[in-house]
Structure formats: structure tokens, C-alpha cells
Amino acid sequence: MRLTRTSDKVSLPKSGLGLNRRQFLKTAGLSAGGIAAASMLGTAMMRKAHAEFIPHDTPIEVKKTICTHCAVGCGIYAHVQNGVWTDQEPAFDHPFNSGGHCAKGAAVREVGHGDRRLKYPMKKEGGKWKRISWEQAINEVGNKALEIREQSGPDSIFFMGSAKFSNEQAYLYRKLAALWGTNNVDHSARICHSTTVAGVANTWGYGAQSNSINDMRNAKSMIFVGANPCEAHPVAMQHILIGKERGAKIIVVDPRFTHTAAKSDEYVHIRPGTDIPFIYGLLWHIFENGWEDKQFVEERVYGMELIRDEVKKFPPDVVENIAGVTKEQMFRVAKILADYRPGTIVWCMGGTQHHMGNSNTRAYCILQLALGNMGVPGGGTNIFRGHDNVQGATDFGLLFDNLPGYYGLTSGAWEHWGAVWGLEYAWMKSRFDQGTYLGQEPMHSTGIPCSRWQDGVLEPKDKIAQRDNIRMAFFWGQSVNTETRGPTVRKALDAMDMVVVVDPFPTMAGVMPERSDGVYLLPAATQFETYGSVSATNRSIQWRSKVIEPLFECKPDHEIIYLLAKHWGIDAQMFKNIKVNGSEPLVEDITREFNRGMWTIGYTGQSPERLKLHQENWGEFSADSLQAAGGPCAGETYGLPWPCWGTPEMKHPGTQILYRTDLEVRNGGGTFRARFGVEHEGKSILAVDSWSKGSAIEDGYPEFTDAMLKQLGWWNQLTPAEQSAAEGKNWKTDLSGGIQRVAIANGCTPYGNAKARCTVWTFPDKIPIHREPLYTPRRDLVPLYPTYADQYVARLPTLYESIQKQDFAKGFPLVLTTGRIVEYEGGGEETRSNPWLAQLQQEMYIELNPKDAQDRGIRDGDKVKVHSPEGAIIEVAAMVTPRVIPGETFMPFHFAGVFESKSLAKDYPEGTEPYVIGESANTAMTYGYDVVTQMQETKATLCQISRA
Ligand code: SF4
């Protein structure tokens, strides 16, 4: 369906609706030519991308870059003439996309013209936007932060970071927060895959995609749960459909009949929020028929008997009652999974964004363990990440509970990074608030999550576990329409002393506040205006070249970070090992610094030189195996996916498939990680009769330490210099890499060889337990599957049962979910400001079933009001479609620029409003946060819909 109705109240800026492409561009004030578009910009606003006549024979420079719109990581050839980005081609020789692009990738060149971008620093004064200089901006923003620090402590500044940073920028931003003295730093992984990271890492060691998208060509079956790659990761479908052509069966489990479902052999509708009953229902058939991989479970899995007991509570009739799937279909799906092995599972935000999302992700892992699908080509948990560098930003600790490399926040973790940075622990500690607050010591306690910064602003001061409220926030590459409870978010924006947006676009954080002063907009360059490394969803690290110089007065993020650090007087400590040219830190030096510290997950072997060599040789890597058969990268996996063990000189080839015992560790093999000790309740949790090929220890073993090397008699295999560095250290903290080198030389995985575990004894739910959503239509199930008690999580009081005990279902009978559409990305500011994409989807909408529409007198395209049980009311178009069943609805989450029926177009600085604006789905989304990670619950709430 194409939406054609123009809103009367919600006026869209210029774009209008129902226009064809040429009309749209004309109405939007653009011609079809990119260079002509650049000519619209005043020369005073521009640097290199100014309009000029470029003769056809002007030499073309070809730059190799990577799409910035999702973590598939497609390669692009960018053609540049006289400093202007004039053309682009999808890289035909790139191993991920082989010449393919989706609409977003095909439109990235428009970013290089960016007429809707922020062009210079601005501040809001007396209700008006005013242009200021960079010097004034840094002085005023920096001074306000120092003033708040003096009055309320460092925790009163919130550092919202970005999944669109390069690896180097993400690392530097985390370091900036660390040296500022706060753990109030986070980014959008919190709200997309934090429950994955927690659940998966606590099952077998690493919280990342275990295989690769390319490896899905080898799968015999694929089950997608709450994942819609056709729209969210379109080029991944190349590999998925090759797998299908080779005979793989495809099962799609989703409340909505998605584009991906249209490609499936079996589409399963489940009621939103019932993933665990569904997975346990499959396991019921698997155990009942003896289809589990008994040898694999015996050798490599701990605690499956606890799951067997829980699964007994989910026979077919119970599953049908809770999830709505018949016994016959459950049997069919279980049999496909049993008959077509190895099989892979893919999940995305349909699985993660629940108040017990960490349990969902553990349940998916347990299904794969029962089937013996881990550590094999064609198997694994292929967890697709969203933004281009959400994997890297997560790896580099842009999180409230971690330093780079998942080292945590213990004193040992700080000492490790202090050693890398050349800083004293005592000095770093002095930067934090001292003492404890509600029992929490700021340096060692998790900060406030980005899903709830608004509560950090608004909760009474004595109710939060830090010295004072959040009073100022940097919204750096992430906007606020990604947070639920829109009216609360707006209130918090208005309550803070200062709001600072650092972004190529003004974003909703700059536009939504009703305040007339205290909002700053600092123009950041895009990734096409700088260079560095980026980690794709499969853990491959790609080097991205600079395509053009920063447009207008934009600066790359790492330069803005430097300017702030300098203003705050911590530049000498921050850049001790990093050369700074003028005010721009040298990117390669940042890469080398993190290479020296990221031992935990093996980001140590990927030097800038090795990554650049892979970039130069895209065409040498097979799209089937991801390996280079010959040439300078022979035997290596593309992008040296982590763990790439040891120092760069060790030449580890990268690990394409985690936990693979049929390969030697030095060739990319591995075991499950011994991360949780060696025993539990008196039982060994090390692997039994299972080890990776060539292992000198033919049994399970713990993590490597200096003491273990001595015990094994391997200590003398270290050089004298390595011995001196490794004394008192382990495989994660030995900065020489000697412990890792010797472990691998003896065929062992540095992190040990343990069983994966089905029970996480440190989590509130030790095994996955079904709990009804906080806002559930099934009141009858609440007594059987209740939520948690209200409790403190991440410095904040967090509500569970006090919400669930209220019956909202009578007034709000429709289940509401949200998700992604192919045209836009994330909060959507960048893609809705791209004329080529904006024309494709011009209006925000809600999908509802024809029955629900008829019951309410609503026709396709009508303007409707969506009522939230928490009081918000948004106005969108109705898309009447059977792709959602009666009683269930869906909204895309990329829109912004309209708030509860009121257009904010006039609140953008002149000329920066996106071509398409609309209500944010999250304005109407409700309370609910994962009990472990504070992921917001946006895949199962309630609403009512009425004609507008
Ligand atoms: Fe490839 Fe993703 Fe970019 Fe589309 S958005 S071109 S799938 S990287």
C-alpha cells in the first residue's frame, strides 16, 4: 500500500505525500543531480563540496569505504573528483555484498552533499538558533560541565555515545568518560542487543554473533525469531537465499507476516512476549522424541537437566494457550530443526526488547545447544546487529557497566587499562565522586543506562544511587526518539541545565525541548569525512577510507573529543600515547593503543597495517568461505574477526566461527570459554572429552595464568621479556601477549575449555522463565507467569509488579509492537534527511488488521490517534493490512519531528528539518526494562486506536 493522505494537523515540511520522485525532489527544492544539490549551499557554509564545473575528464579518485547504515558492512567504491563525491558503486568484489546494496546503501553519496546537515555550531538563545564559533561552543559547553562537576560531581554529566562512531572514536569516547570520572556513558546497544550480550556471554563466553552471515550459505535450516532481515539487513538475504537454494529450510517466527516470512517454508505466528514458551515448546518435542544431540550435551553443556525439568511445564496444550501455536505446527518446526542440521538461529529486536529479554536470548542459545548446533559451519547463533558499528561500540565499552573489551569495572579492570594508558589508578580514582551512594561506589558501579537517562534527571535526588541528578547530557550521535515514554523524555530535556547535541544532524534532542536557552548543536562529520576501522555484525573489522573532507564547519568526532579533553585539562593524560596533529588525534595511534589492551576478546592482532591490507585486497576473499586462498592475506579470514589472538606479529588469521573444535586455535578454532570458574555446586563445569584440534591438554581446562604455565611446565617457552611482563598476570592482563602466544602454540584456547551453561546463577532468573509482559492482554496468565518485584537496577528504582498488577487491557485492547522498515535507519534523522530515501516512505503509520479497522470505522490511509496506557496520544496514518492479526498492531520506529500531533518543523535550525517528519513510535511506548540490562520493552505493550 502506498500512503497518499496529507495530514491537516501534522504538516510535513515541504515533502507532501503521494508525489512521484521528480515532483518530490522539485517540491523539496532539489534537482536530481547531486552536484547541483551541492550548489544550493552557500559557499560560506562549505569547504570542499562546493559547486563547480567538473569537466568530464577530471581524474576520478576511487575511495574504498563501508556503508554506514547497518552492520552487514557492505563495501562501496566512492568516486571523487576535485574533492567532490560524484558517484558511487556497490563493491562487486567485496566478500559481504558482492555488488549488492539496499536502498540505504545506494543512497549514501547524498550524505556527502548533506544540505540538511548542521553546518556550524549553534546555540539556542531567547528561543532562537544562533550561529557561534567552535571556540565559543567548546568554551561554553566545557565551562558548564566544569561548573556542574564542581557543584554536583562528575556523575551529573551523561555521555550518550554512538553506534556510528568508528572503533577508534568509540574507544576514545569511553576513555573520555572514564577520565572525566563517570560510568554514565552508554549507547544504542543498550536498546537493541544488550540482552543478547548479557544472555549469550553468560551462556558460553562471548556476547556476539558466533558465525557469519556468509556462513549461512552452509546452513541446512534457519530459524528467524523476531528478525526481519529483508528490511533490516537486506544484503544478508543474498547469503540466506543462496542457503535456501542449496536446500536449507527457512522458518520465520514473528507476530507479523514480514517480508522475510514471505520467503519461509514455515511461518509461525507467536503472541508478542511468548518466546520462552515457544522455545520450550520446541524443546518439549525434541526431548520427547530423543532428537537432542546427547554426545554434544554430555561433553560441552552444563545444566541441561534443569531445562528438561522446566520444559515439562510446557506441553503442547500449554504452549498453544500461551503463544497461540498449534501442537501440529510446533511438531513440524521441531522436526525440521532436528532433520536439517546444522541449523542456525537468527534473532533481532523482536527477541531482545522485552523486560525479560536476557532470558529470551538464553533460551535461543539453549535450543542450539540441545541440537548440537554450536561450533559448526552452518550452525550457530547469527545475531544480526543494527547500526554499522554497534558491534564495535559495544566491544569498546561504550556501556555503563564496562571498560573497553568487557573488562568490567573492578579495580583490576581499571588497573589493566591504567597500565595501557600509562595512568596511575589513584589519579583515575580521584576523578570520580568518592564515597558510596545507596551502597554504590561510583567508580565501580554501573552507571545510568541510556534507556533511562530521563529518570536520572527526574527521579528525586535521594532515590538515585549517585551524588546528584543528571544535570547535563551530551547526545552524541544518538537521538532521544530512541527512548520510550516520550513525554517524560521531553520533561527531562527541559529540566536539565544544558543539552548538547553532537551530530551531523540537529536530532530530536535539539528540537524537542520547549526551553528557549541552553541547547547547543555541534556539527560532527560523518564517517565518510574521516577514516578508521568499523566492526561488522560478524566481528570482522574493516578499514574505511576518508571519501571527502569534512563538509561545512563539521569536525570528526575524535577531534571534538580532543577539544573537550583539552578544555577540561585532561588532554595530556588522554593522549599520552596518541599523536595529535593540530587538534586531530592520529587514528592509527588510537588503533595501536587499543591493540595493546583488548586481550579479552582478541582485538590485539588487528593492526592498522593488517586491516588496510585486507581493505586493499577485498577481491581476494571468497564470499563462500570469507578466506583468502592466496595473495598477501592467504589463509586469513576477511576482517580478522575477533578473537584475532596475540600481537599482530603472531599473524593469527581471525576467528570466523566461535567455539569450533575441529580447527586448531591458531587457525581460528576454539572451545567454550571457562569464564565462570571451574565448578558449580561441587560439580565440574569444564568440558569433558572435548577439546580443540591439536590441543596439548586433552580435556577441559581453566583460563591461562602465569601460575598455570608454570604448573604445565610451559613457563620457559616465554622469552625473558615476556616472563617479566607475564609475572602475576593472566591471558587478559599480560600486556606482552606471551601467555596467549604460548597457550596457542600448545593448541589451547587462552580463555580455557569449559562447558556452555544453561543456568546463570548470578541472574535473577537462573534459567529462562516465562514472565508475561508488564502490559499484557492476558490477565488470566499474570498469576501463573508474574513479573519481578519492583527493585533497584543501575542506580535507579525500577518498576515491575506495580505496573503489571494494573489491568490496562480493558481500555487498551490492542497489542502494540515496533520495528524497522527498509528505507530508514535507527531514529531516522540521517535517512529521512536523504532525499533519495525520503521519497520512498513519506508518512508515519500504524499497521492494523482489517477487522480492527472495521470495528473502529477506520479506512486505509485515514489519520488515526494511537492512545498509550500511560497517557500519550500520537497521530499517524492507518495502514490496514492482514500482515498483522486482529488484536495486534505495528509501528516503525524511525520517525520524529512531530510530537503528540504538533509539528516541530519550525523548531529545527533553518534549512535542517528532515524531508520527512512524523510522530515517534516511542512517544507512545510504555515503561518496562530488562531486569539485567535495562533494555526497554518495545515489543509487547498495549494501545487503543481511534479515528483522528
Ligand atoms: Fe548493506 Fe546494510 Fe548498507 Fe544496506 S544498509 S547497503 S544491507 S550495509
Side-chain angles (χ1 to χ4, degrees):
M1 189 206 79
R2 182 170 177 79
L3 293 166
T4 55
R5 188 176 180 277
T6 309
S7 160
D8 24 3
K9 278 193 182 168
V10 184
S11 63
L12 298 173
K14 299 181 182 176
S15 65
L17 296 172
L19 304 179
N20 65 31
R21 179 169 167 269
R22 186 163 293 279
Q23 286 170 317
F24 175 79
L25 293 173
K26 199 172 162 199
T27 312
L30 287 174
S31 74
I35 300 171
S39 73
M40 295 167 55
L41 309 168
T43 49
M45 299 174 187
M46 304 185 61
R47 289 189 179 169
K48 298 286 183 187
H50 55 87
E52 61 180 65
F53 176 69
I54 299 180
H56 72 276
D57 57 353
T58 302
I60 295 172
E61 282 180 87
V62 180
K63 308 285 180 89
K64 287 182 168 184
T65 187
I66 303 297
C67 177
T68 54
H69 287 311
C70 92
V72 171
C74 297
I76 298 169
Y77 284 116
H79 296 182
V80 179
Q81 291 175 285
N82 276 2
V84 177
W85 190 353
T86 53
D87 195 10
Q88 71 167 86
E89 294 282 346
F92 55 87
D93 59 346
H94 189 281
F96 293 163
N97 58 310
S98 305
H101 262 353
C102 72
K104 295 183 293 295
V108 292
R109 186 181 65 111
E110 300 314 305
V111 176
H113 300 291
D115 74 307
R116 298 291 160 124
R117 294 254 302 264
L118 277 174
K119 298 172 181 67
Y120 29 73
M122 305 190 90
K123 75 170 182 177
K124 208 171 193 184
E125 205 173 71
K128 298 215 171 346
W129 290 112
K130 182 182 165 192
R131 179 178 180 173
I132 57 174
S133 68
W134 268 105
E135 191 183 3
Q136 184 183 351
I138 294 292
N139 280 340
E140 291 181 13
V141 167
N143 287 343
K144 179 54 103 178
L146 290 171
E147 180 191 316
I148 291 171
R149 180 187 177 92
E150 184 67 28
Q151 294 165 353
S152 301
D155 280 334
S156 285
I157 312 294
F158 191 84
F159 290 84
M160 179 82 85
S162 182
K164 297 181 80 72
F165 282 150
S166 66
N167 284 332
E168 289 73 19
Q169 292 165 341
Y171 168 80
L172 211 54
Y173 192 72
R174 183 59 181 94
K175 190 175 178 183
L176 178 75
L179 303 200
W180 170 260
T182 188
N183 292 323
N184 282 338
V185 54
D186 214 4
H187 82 289
S188 64
R190 176 76 38 223
I191 52 179
C192 63
H193 269 300
S194 64
T195 46
T196 296
V197 175
V200 177
N202 276 286
T203 299
W204 44 56
Y206 285 143
Q209 183 170 347
S210 68
N211 291 42
S212 70
I213 294 174
N214 295 62
D215 179 61
M216 292 177 74
R217 296 171 174 214
N218 300 316
K220 299 269 189 326
S221 61
M222 309 178 196
I223 179 166
F224 296 83
V225 187
N228 181 18
C230 267
E231 299 211 61
H233 305 89
V235 171
M237 290 305 291
Q238 272 189 5
H239 306 286
I240 292 163
L241 294 176
I242 287 172
K244 185 174 180 179
E245 280 172 12
R246 292 176 179 175
K249 297 287 177 199
I250 294 183
I251 300 154
V252 172
V253 184
D254 205 293
R256 187 169 164 252
F257 190 81
T258 60
H259 289 207
T260 310
K263 301 284 182 197
S264 67
D265 297 286
E266 189 83 38
Y267 165 65
V268 185
H269 172 276
I270 61 169
R271 179 170 66 88
T274 61
D275 300 60
I276 291 171
F278 170 73
I279 296 290
Y280 281 170
L282 292 179
L283 284 168
W284 190 91
H285 288 287
I286 289 167
F287 292 146
E288 188 78 2
N289 292 285
W291 292 334
E292 69 274 25
D293 186 332
K294 295 180 185 65
Q295 185 183 349
F296 184 90
V297 171
E298 182 65 30
E299 293 175 353
R300 300 189 68 186
V301 182
Y302 176 76
M304 191 61 89
E305 65 285 355
L306 298 171
I307 302 299
R308 280 181 180 276
D309 290 345
E310 187 68 14
V311 162
K312 285 183 188 141
K313 300 176 191 165
F314 292 87
D317 57 326
V318 172
V319 172
E320 183 162 0
N321 180 36
I322 301 173
V325 191
T326 64
K327 177 179 181 176
E328 293 70 29
Q329 190 173 34
M330 291 298 294
F331 178 82
R332 265 199 320 274
V333 172
K335 186 145 179 27
I336 291 172
L337 296 179
D339 288 349
Y340 293 84
R341 287 188 251 193
T344 188
I345 188 166
V346 178
W347 72 83
C348 287
M349 290 187 275
T352 63
Q353 291 182 335
H354 296 275
H355 81 285
M356 22 54 78
N358 79 85
S359 290
N360 284 354
T361 66
R362 286 187 286 147
Y364 309 142
C365 294
I366 289 164
L367 175 66
Q368 288 298 72
L369 289 172
L371 291 165
N373 275 334
M374 293 308 299
V376 289
T381 48
N382 280 305
I383 308 145
F384 292 173
R385 308 299 301 251
H387 294 292
D388 61 330
N389 203 26
V390 70
Q391 183 63 55
T394 306
D395 296 335
F396 287 99
L398 216 46
L399 302 167
F400 68 20
D401 54 357
N402 260 305
L403 288 170
Y406 309 94
Y407 277 83
L409 297 171
T410 61
S411 48
W414 284 101
E415 276 164 7
H416 169 73
W417 280 105
V420 176
W421 296 335
L423 300 176
E424 294 292 329
Y425 176 80
W427 180 81
M428 292 189 292
K429 186 166 168 42
S430 73
R431 301 288 300 161
F432 281 78
D433 266 327
Q434 307 300 309
T436 58
Y437 301 89
L438 299 179
Q440 306 273 316
E441 192 191 344
M443 186 181 190
H444 302 297
S445 65
T446 58
I448 288 173
C450 77
S451 51
R452 298 193 62 196
W453 65 268
Q454 64 276 33
D455 293 324
V457 176
L458 298 174
E459 282 285 346
K461 182 173 159 175
D462 61 347
K463 293 248 170 17
I464 59 175
Q466 63 177 41
R467 184 168 143 200
D468 202 347
N469 291 93
I470 291 170
R471 292 178 51 192
M472 172 177 174
F474 289 92
F475 295 99
W476 201 313
Q478 181 174 321
S479 186
V480 297
N481 54 320
T482 51
E483 277 91 65
T484 52
R485 302 156 54 214
T488 308
V489 167
R490 186 177 227 191
K491 206 169 151 193
L493 286 168
D494 285 327
M496 281 191 289
D497 292 42
M498 186 179 278
V499 173
V500 185
V501 174
V502 189
D503 202 285
F505 297 89
T507 79
M508 276 293 269
V511 172
M512 201 167 146
E514 292 183 289
R515 58 197 299 161
S516 54
D517 294 279
V519 184
Y520 286 74
L521 306 176
L522 309 187
T526 66
Q527 292 302 326
F528 302 114
E529 294 146 67
T530 182
Y531 69 100
S533 67
V534 54
S535 299
T537 182
N538 70 316
R539 297 169 281 106
S540 281
I541 303 165
Q542 306 197 77
W543 199 261
R544 192 157 47 185
S545 298
K546 183 194 271 188
V547 176
I548 49 173
E549 291 299 318
L551 293 179
F552 320 114
E553 292 184 14
C554 296
K555 289 183 186 295
D557 296 298
H558 51 288
E559 184 177 351
I560 305 170
I561 291 170
Y562 171 79
L563 292 172
L564 278 172
K566 188 160 186 273
H567 189 86
W568 291 336
I570 52 174
D571 53 319
Q573 291 87 352
M574 277 273 293
F575 298 95
K576 214 169 178 174
N577 309 315
I578 299 164
K579 187 174 172 200
V580 180
N581 294 316
S583 54
E584 184 175 357
L586 183 65
V587 171
E588 287 86 345
D589 274 3
I590 307 173
T591 320
R592 287 189 193 97
E593 184 175 279
F594 69 61
N595 282 158
R596 286 197 292 276
M598 297 281 284
W599 302 97
T600 37
I601 54 173
Y603 259 88
T604 47
Q606 306 97 332
S607 63
E609 292 73 24
R610 291 188 82 192
L611 295 176
K612 286 176 188 176
L613 195 64
H614 278 221
Q615 184 200 33
E616 284 160 21
N617 290 281
W618 279 351
E620 303 295 320
F621 294 92
S622 155
D624 250 328
S625 70
L626 280 184
Q627 284 186 332
C633 308
E636 296 182 354
T637 299
Y638 176 63
L640 301 169
W642 65 259
C644 178
W645 295 116
T647 58
E649 294 71 35
M650 254 180 68
K651 293 266 182 204
H652 188 270
T655 306
Q656 187 189 168
I657 296 172
L658 295 171
Y659 323 121
R660 186 173 175 181
T661 52
D662 65 333
L663 288 182
E664 293 182 46
V665 181
R666 68 185 173 89
N667 290 329
T671 49
F672 288 135
R673 183 172 165 188
R675 189 175 182 176
F676 318 107
V678 295
E679 60 169 38
H680 177 241
E681 295 179 343
K683 284 182 259 176
S684 168
I685 54 173
L686 297 178
V688 176
D689 295 334
S690 169
W691 53 87
S692 53
K693 188 177 172 188
S695 175
I697 307 175
E698 297 192 337
D699 207 349
Y701 50 87
E703 300 179 294
F704 274 80
T705 62
D706 62 332
M708 190 166 151
L709 284 190
K710 288 172 187 165
Q711 212 175 341
L712 289 164
W714 298 350
W715 182 251
N716 287 337
Q717 295 178 31
L718 294 170
T719 65
E722 285 173 340
Q723 282 181 347
S724 132
E727 195 67 61
K729 305 285 186 191
N730 60 40
W731 69 285
K732 294 180 288 192
T733 55
D734 165 22
L735 299 189
S736 76
I739 294 180
Q740 290 200 359
R741 186 181 64 73
V742 169
I744 292 167
N746 288 282
C748 296
T749 325
Y751 57 58
N753 177 19
K755 288 180 172 173
R757 57 180 187 168
C758 299
T759 168
V760 181
W761 43 87
T762 48
F763 278 10
D765 290 338
K766 293 181 179 38
I767 59 168
I769 289 175
H770 175 57
R771 297 179 184 275
E772 276 295 305
L774 296 192
Y775 289 87
T776 176
R778 290 293 303 272
R779 302 302 306 168
D780 57 316
L781 295 178
V782 171
L784 293 171
Y785 308 105
T787 185
Y788 309 95
D790 295 355
Q791 55 195 271
Y792 261 88
V793 188
R795 300 189 182 184
L796 294 165
T798 307
L799 307 179
Y800 293 99
E801 66 179 350
S802 61
I803 292 180
Q804 197 187 54
K805 73 183 182 194
Q806 301 171 64
D807 181 358
F808 294 99
K810 286 199 187 79
F812 303 89
L814 301 170
V815 175
L816 174 59
T817 68
T818 62
R820 192 162 167 172
I821 56 177
V822 70
E823 296 86 0
Y824 298 136
E825 181 205 7
E829 217 74 33
E830 186 175 15
T831 39
R832 286 181 289 100
S833 297
N834 184 320
W836 305 96
L837 296 172
Q839 65 185 304
L840 300 175
Q841 183 58 57
Q842 299 169 26
E843 193 168 15
M844 170 62 180
Y845 60 91
I846 187 165
E847 293 179 5
L848 75 167
N849 184 271
K851 176 187 181 303
D852 291 324
Q854 285 161 19
D855 288 350
R856 289 164 177 77
I858 293 166
R859 287 166 179 257
D860 188 42
D862 279 356
K863 192 60 79 177
V864 296
K865 291 193 171 183
V866 180
H867 305 255
S868 149
E870 292 178 1
I873 303 171
I874 63 173
E875 199 171 315
V876 301
M879 181 183 280
V880 179
T881 169
R883 84 170 68 132
V884 288
I885 68 164
E888 293 179 8
T889 64
F890 167 88
M891 287 194 290
F893 56 56
H894 312 287
F895 290 82
V898 177
F899 190 80
E900 295 200 292
S901 301
K902 189 165 169 270
S903 168
L904 304 180
K906 66 174 179 25
D907 298 311
Y908 288 82
E910 193 183 346
T912 64
E913 74 272 23
Y915 292 110
V916 170
I917 61 173
E919 292 268 16
S920 296
N922 276 327
T923 303
M925 299 311 284
T926 51
Y927 199 97
Y929 300 97
D930 178 73
V931 71
V932 174
T933 73
Q934 293 290 278
M935 166 75 76
Q936 81 287 19
E937 187 161 57
T938 55
K939 292 297 181 279
T941 188
L942 296 172
C943 73
Q944 177 58 293
I945 300 177
S946 63
R947 282 178 63 94

